C-alpha cells in the first residue's frame, strides 16, 4: 500500500514559509500563448465583419464631421483631425476592454486555464501572451482607422507630426486599457463583474476625473488681490487733455488706463490639473505638436480647433491663477506675455498622464501575474482551480 | 518512450501530512501517499472527500497549507516549473479550446512543455494514435463527444512525457469499450515506468487496473486498516452450485471459513481463500467431492467491498 508511515520528512511548513515564484518569461512561451490566443479569437469571432463595420462607422463619422465643419476663411484648425482622432479613441476605449476583460476568469470558467498552468509555462508567459494578443487585436481597429485619420489630417491645419504622435499615443492607450481588463479578469471570478469593472475604470479616467476637477476646485478657494485694468474715456473729445488721456482707440477717441484692485476668490487649478492629465483625451491632445506660432503673434492662445485648444487649456490650468486682467491696451499686457511665456515653458502634460497610465498598466500586469501563478495560495471567492 | 530520471529516493511522488482549507472548509485534512514508478495507484473516496483538491496539490496547482509534497525530488511550491515538467495532469473538467483542432491542441501543450514545434507536432500525432483519435485529428475540439474529449484530455496530459500521471476521474463518461481501452492504456503507461495516480467512482474498473489503492475519507487518507480491508475483500470468493447441492455442508466439511448468502439456499456461499492457488485447490476438492459447481469467483469488486466496509465503519 502506498501509505507512508515513517516520519522522514521535515516538519510541515506553513504557507507563509514558501512563496511560489512567478517563473520566468520565455520567448517561446510568450509567442506560444500569443499564437494560441489569436488563433482562438480569430477563428471564434467574425473578425472581417467586425472590422468592416468599424471601418464603415469611422467612414460615416469622418464624412459627417467634414460636412459639419465650415471650410471657409475661418480656419477650422485641427478640428476635423481632432474630432476623427477622438472618435477613434472612443471606439478603442469601448472595444478594447472586451478583448481582455474576460480573458482570465473566462478561461477559468471554461476550464482551459488550469491545464496550461499545469505545464511549464510561467505566469509571465500566460499573462503577457494574453495581453499582447489582445493588444494586437485592438491594433487592428487602429489600423483600420488610420486611413481616415490621414484623410482628416489632410483636411486640417494640424501639425504634420501630430499624425505620428496621435497614432503612437492611441496605440499606447489601447495597451493600457487591455492591461486594465486583464487585471480585473484576474481579480474577479465572474466575467460580468470584470467587464463592468473595466468599463468603470476607463470611465473614471475619462469622465469621473473631469467631473471631480471643478467639484474639488470649488472646495479649495483662495482669496487673492486682483488688479483690473480698464479703459477710461475722456468726457469730451473736443476738450481732451492729451497728457491725461494718452491713448487713442480705433475710432479716434482718447482714453487712459485705470487700475482697480479687488480682493477676489480664485481657484488653485495648479494643484488639481493632474485630474485632467490622466485623461486619455488630454494625453492625446497634449502629445500632438502645436501649429507653428508666428514670431509676432499677439494672441494669448494661438490656436483654434480642438486638440491644441485642450492642450493649451490644460497647460493654462497648471499655472497659478492670474492676478491681473488687462482690458485696456490692445495686444498682450506684460503679465499676459509673462504668463504665455511661462505656459510655453511648462513641461508637456502628456508624460505625466502617460506615465501614470504606464504605472497602471504595469500594476495591472503584476496583479494578473500574481493571480495566475501556481500553486495558488488563496483563490478568488467562488472560484475553482479546475 | 523516454521517462525522466527517477528521484534518488526511489519514488516518483511522495506526499506527507498534506492539508488544505478553503476558507473555513477543510478540504484535505491529512493526506499522505507515495507513488512508485511503474505502478498504478487508485485514489478512492466518496464525493467531496478531497480527492480533487489533493490531486491539485500534487499537480502543483494548489499550495498546501501544510505538509510536504515532493515530485521527482522537487517541491511544486518552490520549484514549480521543474516539478510540473515531470507531471501530467488530467483534470476532471473537460475544458477545451473550441476552435483549435485536436492536433493543434496537443501540439500547443507539447510546446507549453518545452518541446520544439517539430517535436510537438510529431508527438501530437503519436498521442492521437494512442488514444484512438487519429481520424478526428483535423476536427475542432467543439465537435468531439464527451468521451472523445476525455481521451483528448488524457493525450494532453501525456504531451510532456511525464514520469508522474495524475488522472482525475478519467473513466467518467466513457463507453464500456473506451473504458477497456483506457484500462489497457493506463497499464501500458505504467509498464513504461510511469507512476500513475487515478481516481474513479467506477471501482470495479479500478480493480483490474490498479496495483495499489489509497482510500480517502473526509480529507484523510486511510492507512493500513484500508489495506487490510482490501486484502480481506480480495480473499472473498463466491461458490455457486447447481440447485440441490449443499455447498454449506461441503465447505464445513473442508473446514473453511464461509458465510451463507442472504436470500439464497444452501447451494450458494461466500468463502475466504488465502490466494488464487488456495482457491484453485478448493475448487478441485469441491468438484472431487461431487459438487456440481456452476460459478466460482471473487465476490464483486474488492475495492468496492473495501470502500463500502470502510465507509460503514466511519459512519
Amino acid at each position: 500500500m502506498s501509505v507512508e508511515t515513517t516520519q522522514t520528512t521535515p516538519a510541515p511548513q506553513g504557507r507563509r514559509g514558501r512563496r511560489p515564484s512567478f517563473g520566468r518569461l520565455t520567448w517561446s512561451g510568450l509567442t506560444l500563448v500569443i499564437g494560441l490566443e489569436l488563433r482562438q479569437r480569430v477563428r471564434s469571432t467574425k473578425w472581417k465583419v467586425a472590422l468592416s463595420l468599424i471601418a464603415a462607422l469611422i467612414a460615416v463619422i469622418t464624412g459627417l464631421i467634414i460636412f459639419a465643419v465650415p471650410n471657409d476663411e475661418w480656419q477650422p484648425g485641427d478640428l476635423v483631425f481632432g474630432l476623427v482622432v477622438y472618435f477613434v479613441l472612443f471606439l478603442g476605449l469601448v472595444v478594447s476592454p472586451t478583448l481582455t476583460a474576460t480573458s482570465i476568469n473566462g478561461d477559468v470558467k471554461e476550464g482551459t486555464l488550469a491545464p496550461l498552468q499545469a505545464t511549464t509555462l510561467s505566469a509571465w508567459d500566460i499573462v503577457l501572451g494574453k495581453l499582447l494578443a489582445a493588444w494586437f487585436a485592438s491594433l487592428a481597429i487602429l489600423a483600420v482607422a488610420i486611413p481616415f485619420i490621414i484623410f482628416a489630417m489632410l483636411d486640417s491645419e494640424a501639425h504634420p507630426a501630430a499624425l505620428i504622435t496621435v497614432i503612437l499615443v492611441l496605440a499606447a492607450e489601447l495597451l493600457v486599457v487591455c492591461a486594465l481588463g486583464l487585471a480585473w479578469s484576474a481579480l474577479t471570478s465572474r466575467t460580468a463583474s470584470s467587464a463592468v469593472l473595466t468599463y468603470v475604470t476607463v470611465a473614471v479616467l475619462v469622465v469621473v476625473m473631469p467631473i471631480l476637477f471643478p467639484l474639488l476646485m470649488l472646495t479649495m478657494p483662495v482669496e487673492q488681490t486682483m488688479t483690473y485694468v480698464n479703459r477710461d474715456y475722456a468726457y469730451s473729445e473736443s476738450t481732451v487733455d492729451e497728457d491725461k488721456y494718452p491713448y487713442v482707440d480705433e475710432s479716434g477717441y482718447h482714453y487712459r488706463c485705470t487700475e482697480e484692485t479687488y480682493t477676489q476668490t480664485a481657484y488653485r487649478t495648479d494643484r488639481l490639473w493632474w485630474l485632467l492629465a490622466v485623461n486619455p483625451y488630454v494625453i492625446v491632445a497634449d502629445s500632438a505638436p502645436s501649429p507653428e506660432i508666428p514670431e509676432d503673434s499677439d494672441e494669448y492662445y494661438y490656436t483654434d480647433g480642438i486638440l491644441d485648444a485642450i492642450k493649451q487649456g490644460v497647460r493654462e490650468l497648471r499655472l497659478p491663477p492670474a492676478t491681473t486682467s488687462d482690458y485696456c491696451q490692445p495686444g498682450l499686457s506684460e503679465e499676459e506675455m509673462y504668463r504665455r511665456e511661462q505656459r510655453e515653458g511648462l513641461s508637456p502634460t502628456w508624460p505625466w498622464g502617460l506615465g501614470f497610465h504606464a504605472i497602471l498598466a504595469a500594476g495591472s500586469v503584476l496583479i494578473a501575474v500574481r493571480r495566475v501563478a501556481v500553486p495558488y495560495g488563496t483563490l478568488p471567492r467562488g472560484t475553482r482551480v479546475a | 518512450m523516454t521517462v525522466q530520471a527517477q528521484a534518488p529516493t526511489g519514488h516518483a511522488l511522495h506526499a506527507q501530512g498534506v492539508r488544505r482549507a478553503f476558507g473555513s472548509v477543510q478540504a484535505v485534512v491529512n493526506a499522505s501517499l507515495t507513488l512508485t514508478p511503474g505502478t498504478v495507484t487508485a485514489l478512492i473516496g466518496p464525493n467531496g472527500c478531497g480527492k480533487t483538491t489533493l490531486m491539485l496539490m500534487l499537480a502543483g496547482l494548489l499550495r498546501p497549507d501544510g505538509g510536504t509534497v515532493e515530485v521527482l525530488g522537487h517541491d511544486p511550491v518552490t520549484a514549480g516549473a521543474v516539478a510540473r515538467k515531470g507531471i501530467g495532469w488530467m483534470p476532471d473538467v473537460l475544458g477545451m479550446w473550441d476552435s483549435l483542432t485536436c492536433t493543434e491542441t496537443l501540439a500547443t501543450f507539447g510546446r507549453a512543455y518545452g518541446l520544439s514545434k517539430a517535436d510537438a507536432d510529431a508527438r501530437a500525432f503519436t498521442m492521437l494514435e494512442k488514444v484512438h483519435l487519429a481520424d478526428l485529428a483535423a476536427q475542432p475540439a467543439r465537435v468531439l463527444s464527451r468521451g472523445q474529449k476525455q481521451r483528448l484530455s488524457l493525450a494532453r496530459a501525456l504531451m510532456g512525457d511525464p514520469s508522474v500521471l495524475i488522472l482525475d476521474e478519467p473513466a467518467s463518461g466513457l463507453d464500456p469499450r473506451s473504458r477497456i481501452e483506457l484500462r489497457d492504456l493506463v497499464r501500458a503507461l505504467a509498464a513504461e515506468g510511469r507512476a500513475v495516480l487515478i481516481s474513479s467512482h467506477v471501482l470495479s474498473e479500478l480493480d483490474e487496473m490498479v496495483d495499489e489503492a489509497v482510500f480517502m475519507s473526509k480529507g484523510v487518507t486511510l492507512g493500513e486498516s484500508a489495506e487490510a480491508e482490501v486484502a480481506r475483500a480480495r480473499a472473498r470468493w463466491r461458490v455457486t452450485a447447481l440447485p440441490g447441492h449443499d455447498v454449506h455442508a461441503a465447505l464445513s466439511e473442508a473446514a473453511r471459513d464461509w458465510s451463507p448468502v442472504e436470500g439464497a439456499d444452501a447451494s450458494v456461499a461466500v468463502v475466504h481463500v488465502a490466494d488464487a492457488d488456495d482457491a484453485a485447490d478448493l475448487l478441485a476438492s469441491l468438484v472431487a467431492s461431487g459438487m456440481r459447481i456452476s460459478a466460482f469467483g471473487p465476490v464483486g469488486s474488492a475495492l468496492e467491498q473495501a470502500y463500502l466496509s470502510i465507509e460503514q465503519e466511519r459512519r
Side-chain angles (χ1 to χ4, degrees), chain A residues 205-219:
Chain A
L205 293 177
V206 176
V207 183
V208 177
M209 296 293 215
I211 292 174
L212 270 182
F213 177 77
L215 295 179
L216 276 179
M217 188 182 84
L218 291 173
T219 64

Side-chain angles (χ1 to χ4, degrees), chain A residues 147-169:
Chain A
F148 300 100
I149 295 179
I150 293 175
F151 186 71
M153 177 89 209
L154 298 175
D155 203 66
S156 302
E157 312 265 310
H159 192 288
L163 185 64
I164 309 291
T165 63
V166 154
I167 288 171
L168 289 180
V169 172

Side-chain angles (χ1 to χ4, degrees), chain A residues 1-6 9 12-15 18 20 32 36 39-40 43 110-112 114-121 374-377 379 384-386, chain B residues 14 16 20 33-34 41 60-63 65-67 75-77 81 84-85 89 93 95 97 99-100 104 108-109 112-113 156 212-214 222 224 227:
Chain A
M1 277 303 138
S2 355
V3 176
E4 187 76 26
T5 47
T6 49
T9 44
Q13 288 166 289
R15 69 162 83 171
R18 302 167 300 165
L32 177 70
L36 171 67
R39 228 172 344 175
Q40 269 276 86
R43 283 190 202 164
E110 283 174 25
T112 51
L116 265 193
Q117 290 169 306
T119 68
T120 50
L121 286 179
V374 288
Y376 281 117
L379 288 170
R384 275 167 63 91
V385 178
Chain B
H14 177 72
Q16 179 71 49
R20 170 75 204 205
L33 61 82
T34 301
T41 306
L61 287 168
L62 198 60
R63 187 152 34 130
D65 290 344
D75 180 347
V77 175
R84 293 200 301 273
K85 192 167 174 50
W89 173 65
V93 184
W97 297 307
S99 41
L100 261 60
E104 285 171 334
T108 300
F109 272 91
Y113 276 108
R156 197 168 67 175
E212 305 189 355
V214 173
L222 307 176
E224 272 111 15
E227 192 176 344

Side-chain angles (χ1 to χ4, degrees), chain B:
Chain B
M1 198 74 39
T2 57
V3 169
Q4 282 141 15
Q6 302 307 333
T9 38
H11 47 247
L13 184 148
H14 177 72
Q16 179 71 49
V18 173
R19 61 192 157 82
R20 170 75 204 205
F22 296 108
S24 59
V25 181
Q26 192 73 38
V28 172
V29 179
N30 181 5
S32 303
L33 61 82
T34 301
L35 302 184
T36 317
T39 61
V40 181
T41 306
L43 184 59
I44 298 165
N47 288 330
C49 73
K51 295 193 300 285
T52 294
T53 305
L54 175 60
M55 284 184 147
L56 286 172
M57 288 191 279
L58 301 182
L61 287 168
L62 198 60
R63 187 152 34 130
D65 290 344
T68 53
V69 177
E70 202 181 84
V71 182
L72 307 170
H74 303 289
D75 180 347
V77 175
T78 52
V82 185
R84 293 200 301 273
K85 192 167 174 50
I87 301 176
W89 173 65
M90 176 180 167
D92 60 342
V93 184
L94 294 175
M96 293 285 161
W97 297 307
D98 282 344
S99 41
L100 261 60
T101 67
C102 297
T103 315
E104 285 171 334
T105 299
L106 293 188
T108 300
F109 272 91
R111 291 184 60 204
Y113 276 108
L115 298 182
S116 72
K117 197 175 162 356
D119 290 350
D121 288 344
R123 190 166 171 82
F125 182 75
T126 317
M127 287 303 127
L128 282 174
E129 296 265 288
K130 204 165 197 165
V131 298
H132 306 289
L133 283 177
D135 50 333
L136 293 169
Q139 294 293 326
R142 64 171 174 272
V143 307
L144 299 187
S145 71
R146 190 187 155 80
Q148 287 163 340
K149 279 187 183 171
Q150 201 90 14
R151 283 184 273 155
L152 185 60
S153 179
L154 177 60
R156 197 168 67 175
L158 290 168
M159 282 308 292
D161 194 10
S163 306
V164 179
L165 256 180
I166 296 174
L167 311 177
D168 200 350
E169 300 284 347
S172 75
L174 293 187
D175 58 41
R177 185 189 160 79
S178 301
R179 286 190 177 180
I180 293 165
E181 282 169 0
L182 175 72
R183 186 187 68 199
D184 295 345
L185 183 55
V186 167
R187 289 288 359 156
L189 292 169
E192 286 164 4
R194 300 175 211 272
V196 184
L197 181 68
I198 181 168
S199 78
S200 177
H201 289 306
V202 190
L203 298 174
S204 53
E205 298 284 334
L206 289 179
D207 248 353
E208 302 162 45
M209 204 193 296
V210 305
D211 305 302
E212 305 189 355
V214 173
F215 286 85
M216 203 169 173
S217 181
K218 292 170 186 160
V220 182
T221 50
L222 307 176
E224 272 111 15
S225 62
E227 192 176 344
E229 203 65 53
V230 174
R232 213 149 63 82
R234 284 212 166 115
R236 282 156 57 80
W237 289 55
R238 178 197 284 261
V239 190
T240 311
L242 292 181
H245 290 266
D246 191 352
V247 175
H248 291 184
L251 287 174
S252 299
E253 202 170 301
R256 287 285 177 170
D257 175 10
W258 64 273
S259 51
V261 175
E262 252 178 72
D265 61 12
S267 65
V268 184
V270 170
V271 62
H272 278 266
V273 297
D275 50 27
D277 264 346
D278 187 29
D281 290 345
L282 173 62
L283 181 60
S285 69
L286 286 175
V287 172
S289 69
M291 288 285 129
R292 302 266 287 163
I293 306 293
S294 62
F296 184 65
V299 174
S301 152
L303 293 177
E304 202 160 63
Q305 300 246 324
Y307 170 76
L308 289 175
S309 64
I310 287 166
E311 272 305 289
Q312 227 157 20
E313 276 169 30
R314 290 183 66 85
R315 272 202 195 112

Side-chain angles (χ1 to χ4, degrees), chain A residues 26-282:
Chain A
T26 60
W27 178 249
S28 58
L30 182 68
T31 49
L32 177 70
V33 178
I34 292 175
L36 171 67
E37 288 283 315
L38 285 179
R39 228 172 344 175
Q40 269 276 86
R41 231 183 268 291
V42 167
R43 283 190 202 164
S44 60
T45 53
K46 301 203 164 14
W47 260 97
K48 282 176 190 162
V49 178
L51 284 179
S52 314
L53 278 177
I54 286 173
L57 188 58
I58 298 174
V60 168
I61 295 289
T62 307
L64 288 176
I65 288 171
I66 290 175
F67 180 75
V69 172
N71 199 8
D72 47 25
E73 324 75 75
W74 181 75
Q75 292 292 340
D78 63 15
L79 191 56
V80 171
F81 176 65
L83 286 176
V84 171
V85 164
Y86 272 1
F87 182 69
V88 172
L89 177 58
F90 165 77
L91 269 185
L93 294 181
V94 169
V95 176
S96 291
T98 63
L99 298 173
T100 53
T102 62
S103 181
I104 290 170
N105 52 14
D107 278 9
V108 169
K109 197 167 267 179
E110 283 174 25
T112 51
L113 187 65
L116 265 193
Q117 290 169 306
T119 68
T120 50
L121 286 179
S122 71
W124 286 107
D125 292 334
I126 295 175
V127 167
L128 289 180
K130 279 178 175 292
L131 175 65
L132 291 180
W135 188 44
F136 293 158
S138 58
L139 285 183
I141 300 169
L142 186 56
V144 162
I146 283 178
F148 300 100
I149 295 179
I150 293 175
F151 186 71
M153 177 89 209
L154 298 175
D155 203 66
S156 302
E157 312 265 310
H159 192 288
L163 185 64
I164 309 291
T165 63
V166 154
I167 288 171
L168 289 180
V169 172
L170 282 178
E173 284 302 312
L174 294 179
L175 181 62
V176 170
V177 175
C178 286
L180 290 174
L182 206 59
W184 282 121
S185 80
L187 283 173
T188 57
S189 59
R190 292 182 51 212
T191 51
S193 319
S194 55
V196 167
L197 285 167
T198 307
Y199 280 112
V200 167
T201 311
V202 174
V204 164
L205 293 177
V206 176
V207 183
V208 177
M209 296 293 215
I211 292 174
L212 270 182
F213 177 77
L215 295 179
L216 276 179
M217 188 182 84
L218 291 173
T219 64
M220 42 181 84
V222 285
E223 296 296 313
Q224 69 168 26
T225 313
M226 184 80 186
T227 307
Y228 286 96
V229 185
N230 290 311
R231 285 184 183 187
D232 181 24
Y233 282 93
Y235 284 112
S236 156
E237 192 60 32
S238 53
T239 62
V240 69
D241 178 350
E242 293 200 359
D243 289 336
K244 275 178 91 177
Y245 296 91
Y247 310 115
V248 183
D249 70 5
E250 309 84 53
S251 317
Y253 294 106
H254 283 81
Y255 66 91
R256 63 179 179 184
C257 292
T258 55
E259 280 190 15
E260 283 171 273
T261 304
Y262 304 98
T263 302
Q264 256 200 349
T265 306
Y267 297 98
R268 298 299 301 270
T269 56
D270 54 328
R271 290 179 185 160
L272 292 170
W273 62 276
W274 51 268
L275 283 168
L276 302 176
V278 298
N279 190 308
Y281 288 84
V282 172

